[in-house]
Amino acid sequence: MSKKSYRQAINEALAQEMRRDPTVIVMGEDNAGGMGAPGDDDAWGGVLGVTKGLMPEFGRDRVLDTPITESAFIGAAVGAAATGLRPVAELMFVDFLGVCFDQIFNQAAKFRYMFGGKAVTPVVIRTMYGAGFRAASQHSQCLYPIFTHIPGLKVVVPSSAYEAKGLLIQSIRDNDPVIFLEHKVLYDEIEEVPDEPYTIPFGEANLTREGDHVTIVALGRMVGFANRAADALQKEGITCTVVDPRTTSPLDEDTIIESVENTGRLVVVDEASPRCGMAADISALVAQNAFKALKAPIRMVTPPHTPVPFAPQLEDAYIPTPEKIADAVRHVMA
Amino acid sequence: MSNEIKALTMPKWGLAMTEGAVTSWLVEDGADLREGDEILEIETTKITNVYESPASGVLRRRTVEAGQTVPVGALLGVVADRSVPETEIDAFIARFQEEFAVEAAEAADAAGPEPQFADAGGRRLRYLVMGEGRGGEGAAPLVLIHGFGGDLNNWQFNQPALAEDRAVYALDLPGHGESTKHGVQGGVAELAEAVGDFLNATGIQRAHLAGHSMGGAVALHLASDEPARVVSVTLVCSAGLGEEINADYIEGFIAADRRKEFKPVLEMLFADPSLVSRDMIEELLKYKRLDGVGQALRAIADAAFAGGRQAKVFANDLDRIKVPVQAIWGADDRIVPAAHATAIPEPHRHVLGGAGHMVHMEKAGEVNRLISDFLTVR
């Protein structure tokens, strides 16, 4: 056990799975560090250094640099998965989804179903998401609701370093296409992470706080914010259960419903745009299944329905904060 | 009459503890205390336990209030004779707080001993050592062996206290904690061999052994095989003294992969089930998620507890084990029946009320005294 950053935890998961299973390969832009160009070996390790060190250990046969052509290399990864490898492809920013979506939603997501269960597609697409990096509208979105909408995809939103390592190893071993979403602002967050490989099962929510008054469901970076809100509210005598679903597909509906049955109040925090997002989806789930338990209307904490602003003041105002979450909790308690 | 002023400080229970919350004081200001009196309750993120006075005297001052959370080592109160003037108490507290602030700033992270790893016959075993053999020249060290599914942290309330007299080692058995998970075949004999290899690897010639549950059977096995290396054996709610074992617990422990399923299983361990905290469950789930743990636990259960019966019972062979043995049990043990203690004759048999299978956690003070007394005369 030692302290590791979110970035190190992901890197360790990749390295340990590549050691364990020779069919695991990694591919993406600048992952090996300058193939076909006069760049240095292992110069970048991906744009934020997550795959650094893999190419020197595993070589260029297993750590591939790709052209800046998401449609080509995501398609190649899906094809390689269907024919025997376990590729982990890095889609640098989830915002680039638009140019490779057919490969994901019409191909990878459909193979098992349309080939009568005779094909598996064990591909992982790692991708960066989220605001707060001063990276403007085309590099800051939280598009996991779009993947969650597609049957046949599994969608993972790790909230911390411990979660990231166990969920990524599970993703690589899973036989279905998995979209693994890494929040770019979390990469330097540090916590205790076991040195040994381990897996966290999909569809099993984590309770990061337990309390009696309000259930807060939060995803990814918002889990830490919800914890901070819960800790602050405890001093006011309000105790919260914080539910981190870990995966939006499959979604651990039971844990969310059971928690609301205990507390009678729900606040959902989602960094994604509010229309057709996880906050709306989880609110509907609870309204349908635990309506009689509710003591107050459900409250959603999301950004406004706008592109992510570039002006720092506006970006800060756009993102949900622990204070906004605490205000929502006080509102449902009033 | 003594002029000595003694500090009561926040203990460090387990590797991960950095702070504790005082949930309630059990004695008033000015109370007459004897060493071992229960004086306050402390809650960590993992468990609540009572703090026993480390000294005799009058509780002159309480420096924290119920509800306060303070770091490990922080001053909780002051014990001194009635004759010590108030001004000296004030000066002592002021000096302590000043020094503690400096120490805390210097060693924010470096609190307490760190676990190490030994290469024991090709197995990588994690262990934690405390104390340095102050029980006199050549005082044999004590080795603590946890039970099925446990790890060295199970001794968090015992190891620091026992280490005042001698070096105390707590290890993770193969398949457990952070020790090797792979290649575990599962028998008690294999685990005893691993402990023997551990003694070799750490250069321990002879040791006292204390084993909890399955760890007790491991200790008996080692004492039976290599009596020259074992000074004494303390069995805590031990396996190896009768056939019965709670198969629901063993199978439940292996099967549970969700908090909700795990909780009722873990509650079987304690007389007071409220001791099973969210963090305790989470720590155990984290252990169970490690690669190889499922197979290792399965192999051990199949080899040692097949069909819900203990495969290896030493009760009739105790005469052959030429090593002093004592047994300590929780009267409400729901995993291994307390009746098994009768295999050990009086006066070395102790069944403690108000405690379950984790008697060394629930009645840590009494268990520590019993172990300490048993070891001191040997």
Side-chain angles (χ1 to χ4, degrees):
Chain A
M1 195 81 98
S2 54
K3 288 204 187 318
K4 299 181 182 92
S5 68
Y6 191 81
R7 176 190 286 105
Q8 287 169 323
I10 292 167
N11 181 279
E12 189 168 274
L14 290 168
Q16 288 179 340
E17 283 306 280
M18 291 180 85
R19 282 176 209 134
R20 189 187 64 85
D21 181 349
T23 68
V24 178
I25 63 162
V26 163
M27 60 201 292
E29 289 155 11
D30 291 334
N31 278 6
M35 192 191 228
D40 296 328
D41 281 353
D42 201 32
W44 284 90
V47 66
L48 290 183
V50 177
T51 57
K52 202 162 171 57
L54 296 180
M55 198 284 287
E57 180 174 353
F58 301 102
R60 286 185 182 271
D61 286 347
R62 294 181 66 194
V63 183
L64 310 179
D65 270 345
T66 65
I68 307 179
T69 314
E70 285 78 10
S71 53
F73 79 80
I74 295 295
V78 170
T83 52
L85 294 180
R86 290 187 176 270
V88 182
E90 183 177 294
L91 176 60
M92 189 184 289
F93 291 92
V94 74
D95 313 70
F96 306 161
L97 159 70
V99 292
C100 57
F101 199 25
D102 186 66
Q103 288 77 351
I104 297 171
F105 93 102
N106 256 343
Q107 309 305 326
K110 302 294 193 292
F111 285 169
R112 183 195 281 276
Y113 183 76
M114 294 186 73
F115 297 146
K118 291 177 182 161
V120 294
T121 313
V123 66
V124 179
I125 298 173
R126 289 182 40 244
T127 186
M128 240 191 298
Y129 77 99
F133 207 66
R134 311 295 185 233
S137 305
Q138 296 162 321
H139 301 80
S140 300
Q141 298 167 84
C142 288
L143 300 177
Y144 47 77
I146 292 183
F147 299 110
T148 309
H149 187 68
I150 313 291
L153 299 179
K154 291 176 178 170
V155 185
V156 183
V157 192
S159 59
S160 73
Y162 173 82
E163 299 286 314
K165 180 175 172 184
L167 287 167
L168 182 53
I169 293 179
Q170 178 73 32
S171 301
I172 294 170
R173 296 180 189 178
D174 198 283
N175 275 340
D176 288 315
V178 177
I179 315 296
F180 188 88
L181 291 118
E182 302 166 12
H183 200 298
K184 56 180 87 67
V185 176
L186 291 179
Y187 279 129
D188 293 314
E189 301 259 319
I190 287 170
E191 72 177 349
E192 290 281 345
V193 178
D195 301 328
E196 296 165 81
Y198 59 93
T199 53
I200 299 175
F202 291 164
E204 186 179 311
N206 189 26
L207 306 184
T208 60
R209 294 289 185 279
E210 270 184 316
D212 299 325
H213 301 120
V214 179
T215 299
I216 308 175
V217 180
L219 287 159
R221 186 184 180 209
M222 295 298 117
V223 175
F225 284 10
N227 288 338
R228 276 157 61 184
D231 293 345
L233 289 159
Q234 188 162 23
K235 298 191 177 93
E236 299 171 22
I238 301 171
T239 64
C240 301
T241 292
V242 177
V243 181
D244 171 8
R246 288 178 169 145
T247 55
T248 59
S249 186
L251 181 67
D252 184 352
E253 301 183 357
D254 291 349
T255 296
I256 296 169
I257 292 166
E258 274 170 30
S259 177
V260 175
E261 281 171 348
N262 290 332
T263 60
R265 298 178 181 91
L266 175 66
V267 170
V268 196
V269 192
D270 189 2
E271 198 192 319
S273 305
R275 298 284 89 79
C276 296
M278 287 312 298
D281 187 270
I282 290 167
S283 298
L285 173 81
V286 168
Q288 180 158 305
N289 293 283
F291 187 77
K292 285 184 179 152
L294 286 172
K295 298 170 188 163
I298 297 164
R299 199 91 184 159
M300 296 192 269
V301 183
T302 69
H305 199 65
T306 73
V308 181
F310 183 50
Q313 296 85 344
L314 290 179
E315 187 179 19
D316 291 344
Y318 168 93
I319 304 168
T321 60
E323 293 71 31
K324 288 178 193 168
I325 298 168
D327 282 347
V329 169
R330 290 187 197 103
H331 197 273
V332 299
M333 286 295 291
Chain B
M1 289 291 136
S2 159
N3 291 325
E4 203 183 339
I5 303 173
K6 298 185 195 80
L8 309 176
T9 59
M10 178 60 71
K12 182 170 174 65
W13 289 328
L15 295 176
M17 179 170 167
T18 56
E19 60 179 26
V22 173
T23 49
S24 63
W25 279 92
L26 305 173
V27 290
E28 297 297 323
D29 265 330
D32 279 305
L33 299 178
R34 274 180 320 182
E35 189 178 333
D37 282 353
E38 299 188 345
I39 54 178
L40 48 80
E41 275 192 347
I42 294 169
E43 184 181 330
T44 73
T45 53
K46 295 187 177 47
I47 198 163
T48 302
N49 197 21
V50 290
Y51 175 83
E52 297 183 356
S53 181
S56 298
V58 176
L59 180 61
R60 295 291 299 270
R61 204 68 62 75
R62 303 190 292 192
T63 54
V64 294
E65 287 168 28
Q68 247 182 299
T69 298
V70 296
V72 167
L75 193 66
L76 303 173
V78 173
V79 173
D81 199 88
R82 260 181 232 292
S83 62
V84 177
E86 284 291 313
T87 50
E88 280 186 35
I89 302 280
D90 289 336
F92 178 88
I93 292 173
R95 202 164 54 243
F96 186 100
Q97 302 292 32
E98 195 175 312
E99 283 168 13
F100 182 71
V102 173
E103 279 171 31
E106 279 172 359
D109 268 338
E114 289 290 319
Q116 308 169 51
F117 287 87
D119 178 0
R123 306 174 184 89
R124 187 173 140 91
L125 300 186
R126 184 180 69 150
Y127 69 101
L128 180 68
V129 59
M130 291 184 188
E132 296 162 15
R134 273 165 285 176
E137 192 66 22
L142 168 64
V143 177
L144 304 172
I145 309 168
H146 64 78
F148 180 81
D151 68 16
L152 56 82
N153 265 319
N154 292 164
W155 304 99
Q156 58 185 301
F157 301 138
N158 317 104
Q159 195 179 5
L162 296 168
E164 288 181 10
D165 297 327
R166 67 193 68 245
V168 182
Y169 292 74
L171 79 155
D172 291 341
L173 288 170
H176 291 80
E178 292 185 31
S179 289
T180 305
K181 308 297 182 313
H182 299 282
V184 177
Q185 304 298 311
V188 166
E190 180 195 6
L191 299 175
E193 183 192 299
V195 175
D197 289 339
F198 171 77
L199 297 181
N200 294 338
T202 46
I204 299 173
Q205 305 292 323
R206 299 177 76 233
H208 298 279
L209 303 180
H212 173 242
S213 197
M214 182 182 76
V218 171
L220 283 173
H221 201 286
L222 195 62
S224 164
D225 271 10
E226 300 192 63
R229 306 194 68 176
V230 181
V231 189
S232 77
V233 173
T234 294
L235 302 172
V236 182
C237 299
S238 185
L241 297 179
E243 278 202 354
E244 296 101 322
I245 185 150
N246 185 338
D248 289 346
Y249 174 77
I250 301 287
E251 292 306 319
F253 190 96
I254 294 173
D257 57 6
R258 300 182 69 108
R259 188 190 308 272
K260 209 169 53 175
E261 299 158 14
F262 213 0
K263 194 168 184 220
V265 175
L266 297 175
E267 283 174 347
M268 292 186 216
L269 289 170
F270 297 92
D272 173 6
S274 71
L275 289 174
V276 177
S277 67
R278 209 181 64 77
D279 274 35
M280 185 190 292
I281 301 172
E282 188 54 33
E283 287 297 310
L284 280 164
L285 281 175
K286 282 184 176 176
Y287 155 66
K288 288 192 43 174
R289 289 179 192 136
L290 296 172
D291 272 10
V293 167
Q295 295 94 310
L297 290 177
R298 184 74 266 158
I300 292 170
D302 287 349
F305 313 121
R309 315 298 289 177
Q310 298 189 38
K312 183 78 184 166
V313 176
F314 297 86
N316 299 322
D317 303 330
L318 287 172
D319 295 345
R320 286 199 308 103
I321 298 178
K322 302 292 183 206
V323 169
V325 178
Q326 77 163 336
I328 303 170
W329 233 283
D332 306 326
D333 191 335
R334 285 188 278 162
I335 312 298
V336 183
H340 288 193
T342 51
I344 307 299
E346 297 279 10
H348 298 313
R349 175 170 85 216
H350 310 277
V351 179
L352 310 183
H357 193 58
M358 302 306 278
V359 63
H360 51 321
M361 296 180 104
E362 285 184 285
K363 293 286 168 196
E366 274 180 84
V367 170
N368 293 345
R369 269 188 296 283
L370 288 169
I371 296 178
S372 194
D373 292 351
F374 189 66
L375 267 50
T376 305
V377 297
R378 287 176 173 85

